[in-house]
Amino acid sequence: SEEAGGVLRGLGPLDDDVPEEEEVRDAATYCLLSLLSLPPPSSQSEEEKEVLLRFKLSQNGVQRRCALDEGTEDDEDLGGLSSLSRLRRSTCFTLLHTTLVTLQPLLLSSEMTETTKAQMQSFASLTTFCLHNETDPRCLLQLLQLFSTLQNTLAPYLPHFPHEELFDAMAPYYPIQFTPPPNDVHGITQDILQNVYMDCLTWPNERMRELSVEMVLDRLRPLEKKSYYDEDDDEEEEASMEEKLESLRDLKVLLFLGKEESQDNTSSSSLHLLTAKMVTNVANVLMKTHEQCIQNLSSSKEYIKPTTTTTLAHEIRIFASSFASVLEHQKELWKAFVVHTIQTLSLSISSSPQTIHGRASTVFLSSLSATKGGGGGGGGERTLRHVLNHTLPSLLAFLEGYSGGGEEQKVTAVCLALGTFFASVSAFCECKRVEMGGMFVLGHPHPLESFGKEAVRHL
């Protein structure tokens, strides 16, 4: 403690005194880093005092190193951080990270008082502020790794861990876009930055997950067309189809459909982070973006060959099917996603299946239970039956009342929709046989038992 006090004085003042020469402050920073790198004492009675002291020293040290010259006005704790060189900023981040790493064993074995928790809370808030206005990719990677360590070390012990502050610091960097310069020797790639970034966003906290999902959905959803009389000249630029495809992949990770966590091992303990409102928002954005893809394809010749638009539409259908499967045994979440989707799209299928909206709705709903090439077991038999029971009756009723003459386009669209939904049963069974092999047996009664005879008669 006495040694650290002298080192802190060399780091520079926080108030109105003139800061020390930069070389002295650099030396003091490295001295403090050496002190905080020492292993903590083995005495159990001193553990909490050591935790409190080290957090204070680390936080105070970074604040002093970032102290501005006399006469500069800035209300932030780290007002001078952005004016430091990259190496000096990096040393400050190392100071914070070293503190967390050396104190991890003590936090596991000791019960902390409210005073110590308050200091930990203050340390966490200061750490999240470090990311603001950072532009160097080396420091960005270092800070994202620091954030991950911060979450793993302090979040389990702090009921009011600053999840929102951490998210607010990270949000301006989404999406991660980085191209290494030629002859780069640091080995930093966009994938490395992206993986660490997503590790932070996927920390198991409901508020963090809610904010992260909404951020990704904002990039995925189509922009609303502005009114002619809208005086706002600052128009937001919509993401490209390639960027939307990247956002969909991020959404998979956030909703437990990424490569790290498959449908089979997604536990209810993970799904508790999702809310009905969040799941409904996901459904709405998927439906709108899928229709946007169909609209773009119908107005061009892109359907002739695979493009990013066709890939995005297909990936959205795979995503919806997989997500429906994950939610199959979560009653409220399943209703918020599957039932809401069926209620939203079924009306257009029965009233105007020949329109772009009706065609997009037919394809989306028929794929909800299973998508060919989806690489999974589809949306589940419960979803399959619910889709059929809420779409086929209205289509058959239209054919029963059709007396011929006119409406050829609608009649054709209804017949195509019937064929699409009938084929979805075959696609579902195919997916399940791939997933389960010979163990799969379709439940009784057959999903089409109530509709097959009537459909053949009308056709």
Side-chain angles (χ1 to χ4, degrees):
S1 178
E2 292 176 2
E3 292 172 344
V7 170
L8 287 177
R9 286 191 291 274
L11 281 165
L14 282 174
D15 299 322
D16 298 329
D17 298 327
V18 178
E20 301 289 338
E21 294 292 335
E22 289 301 307
E23 293 78 7
V24 176
R25 301 177 79 178
D26 288 342
T29 305
Y30 286 116
C31 286
L32 184 58
L33 179 58
S34 298
L35 286 173
L36 293 175
S37 301
L38 295 173
S42 57
S43 173
Q44 190 170 359
S45 61
E46 298 291 322
E47 285 184 352
E48 184 174 356
K49 180 193 282 188
E50 187 73 14
V51 170
L52 180 61
L53 176 62
R54 289 193 182 219
F55 275 124
K56 276 185 176 181
L57 288 174
S58 179
Q59 180 173 343
N60 202 357
V62 172
Q63 288 173 321
R64 284 176 174 269
R65 185 63 188 88
C66 299
L68 293 164
D69 293 344
E70 184 179 6
T72 305
E73 295 182 2
D74 199 310
D75 295 331
E76 300 290 355
D77 284 338
L78 301 178
L81 178 64
S82 59
S83 64
L84 295 178
S85 66
R86 185 204 66 81
L87 181 59
R88 286 168 175 156
R89 296 199 308 276
S90 178
T91 305
C92 289
F93 307 150
T94 303
L95 197 65
L96 298 172
H97 189 266
T98 300
T99 304
L100 291 170
V101 172
T102 55
L103 289 180
Q104 278 179 340
L106 297 188
L107 294 174
L108 288 171
S109 61
S110 305
E111 192 71 31
M112 300 300 153
T113 64
E114 293 303 315
T115 301
T116 304
K117 287 183 179 180
Q119 180 59 51
M120 292 160 62
Q121 185 84 26
S122 177
F123 177 93
S125 295
L126 177 129
T127 302
T128 62
F129 184 79
C130 290
L131 185 59
H132 290 284
N133 301 317
E134 182 57 66
T135 57
D136 190 283
R138 291 165 289 181
C139 286
L140 178 59
L141 177 59
Q142 186 181 6
L143 280 167
L144 291 174
Q145 292 169 336
L146 172 60
F147 281 8
S148 181
T149 304
L150 182 74
Q151 289 173 311
N152 285 291
T153 305
L154 297 189
Y157 306 99
L158 298 178
H160 303 293
F161 183 85
H163 293 288
E164 289 196 38
E165 293 177 40
L166 191 146
F167 174 82
D168 289 341
M170 294 180 60
Y173 294 88
Y174 186 80
I176 295 289
Q177 293 179 330
F178 173 68
T179 303
N183 303 317
D184 177 55
V185 296
H186 302 288
I188 299 176
T189 65
Q190 176 160 326
D191 286 342
I192 291 175
L193 289 170
Q194 174 76 5
N195 290 337
V196 182
Y197 188 87
M198 292 305 296
D199 282 344
C200 296
L201 291 187
T202 52
W203 174 259
N205 171 266
E206 185 174 319
R207 182 58 177 159
M208 188 71 172
R209 194 59 54 98
E210 178 186 0
L211 292 169
S212 301
V213 168
E214 188 56 39
M215 177 180 69
V216 175
L217 290 179
D218 278 342
R219 189 164 176 253
L220 187 60
R221 66 164 53 92
L223 290 182
E224 298 291 338
K225 291 185 178 179
K226 292 189 175 182
S227 167
Y228 175 80
Y229 300 100
D230 195 336
E231 297 180 356
D232 185 8
D233 295 330
D234 187 17
E235 291 190 7
E236 184 180 353
E237 184 177 351
E238 182 164 356
S240 66
M241 290 298 169
E242 290 84 357
E243 292 169 336
K244 288 176 183 283
L245 190 56
E246 292 172 1
S247 294
L248 183 66
R249 290 165 184 157
D250 293 338
L251 192 62
K252 289 180 181 181
V253 176
L254 290 170
L255 298 179
F256 319 113
L257 301 177
K259 57 186 179 181
E260 296 86 356
E261 195 165 3
S262 68
Q263 298 177 39
D264 296 332
N265 59 23
T266 300
S267 63
S268 58
S269 62
S270 296
L271 293 175
H272 85 278
L273 298 173
L274 308 183
T275 64
K277 180 181 177 181
M278 186 194 307
V279 168
T280 299
N281 286 341
V282 171
N284 289 334
V285 173
L286 292 179
M287 287 186 282
K288 289 180 180 178
T289 307
H290 180 264
E291 184 173 340
Q292 181 189 39
C293 292
I294 302 301
Q295 177 102 38
N296 291 349
L297 291 170
S298 67
S299 60
S300 69
K301 296 182 179 180
E302 289 189 1
Y303 61 87
I304 297 176
K305 58 182 180 179
T307 64
T308 304
T309 306
T310 56
T311 301
L312 177 59
H314 184 63
E315 289 295 327
I316 287 175
R317 295 193 292 269
I318 294 175
F319 178 96
S321 176
S322 300
F323 195 41
S325 178
V326 167
L327 302 178
E328 186 92 348
H329 301 293
Q330 305 292 322
K331 182 178 179 181
E332 295 304 317
L333 295 180
W334 182 83
K335 287 170 59 178
F337 185 75
V338 174
V339 177
H340 170 75
T341 300
I342 294 172
Q343 290 174 344
T344 303
L345 299 181
S346 58
L347 180 61
S348 64
I349 293 175
S350 59
S351 62
S352 53
Q354 75 278 18
T355 64
I356 290 177
H357 180 55
R359 285 155 48 199
S361 300
T362 298
V363 175
F364 192 91
L365 275 189
S366 66
S367 301
L368 200 57
S369 57
T371 303
K372 287 187 177 181
E381 191 168 336
R382 181 186 181 191
T383 299
L384 173 68
R385 292 179 182 275
H386 209 76
V387 168
L388 297 177
N389 291 338
H390 288 79
T391 54
L392 294 183
S394 60
L395 294 173
L396 294 173
F398 172 80
L399 290 181
E400 185 173 9
Y402 179 66
S403 56
E407 296 190 292
E408 287 86 356
Q409 285 188 342
K410 184 173 182 178
V411 174
T412 302
V414 168
C415 294
L416 287 171
L418 280 174
T420 302
F421 285 115
F422 271 55
S424 69
V425 180
S426 174
F428 170 78
C429 293
E430 180 181 330
C431 286
K432 287 300 179 183
R433 290 190 183 102
V434 170
E435 178 188 12
M436 303 173 62
M439 301 297 293
F440 172 69
V441 177
L442 191 62
H444 181 79
H446 192 283
L448 295 176
E449 184 171 311
S450 303
F451 310 109
K453 184 176 180 181
E454 185 180 359
V456 170
R457 178 169 59 86
H458 289 315
L459 291 172

